[in-house]
Amino acid sequence: MIDLRTGVVLFCALTGLFFLFIWLWYDRRDHATFDAECRRTTFHCIRCDHLYSDRQGAQVSVCPRCGHETARLKF
Ligand SMILES: [Zn+2]
């Protein structure tokens, strides 16, 4: 039989672990979303002056507006 003190300690520990796992899960999910959004390459179409982005590491991309093949912007 578990006495009251042990039960309270177990309840607090399990509640703390629950919130720790929730925090870690949301943190990992947000990092994955942020990396996917931010790690993109920017392109500027010289034909139609459209600014857009494509997957990370792409050196050349086709403009979604006019279809012109454009090299990535370099800063
Ligand atoms: Zn274009």
Side-chain angles (χ1 to χ4, degrees):
M1 187 74 183
I2 300 174
D3 64 341
L4 182 62
R5 183 177 297 172
T6 306
V8 168
V9 169
L10 277 175
F11 176 76
C12 290
L14 291 176
T15 303
L17 283 174
F18 171 75
F19 282 107
L20 177 68
F21 283 119
I22 293 291
W23 173 63
L24 289 173
W25 186 79
Y26 275 105
D27 189 55
R28 288 181 55 123
R29 189 195 69 171
D30 290 346
H31 272 281
T33 304
F34 180 76
D35 284 347
E37 286 292 320
C38 291
R39 296 187 187 274
R40 296 181 63 85
T41 304
T42 304
F43 294 91
H44 177 241
C45 180
I46 56 174
R47 181 185 286 173
C48 68
D49 199 33
H50 182 56
L51 194 63
Y52 62 99
S53 64
D54 203 346
R55 63 180 168 73
Q56 180 187 13
Q59 297 298 315
V60 176
S61 178
V62 175
C63 175
R65 185 181 287 174
C66 70
H68 182 71
E69 195 170 83
T70 307
R72 62 173 246 176
L73 284 178
K74 294 178 182 173
F75 299 100

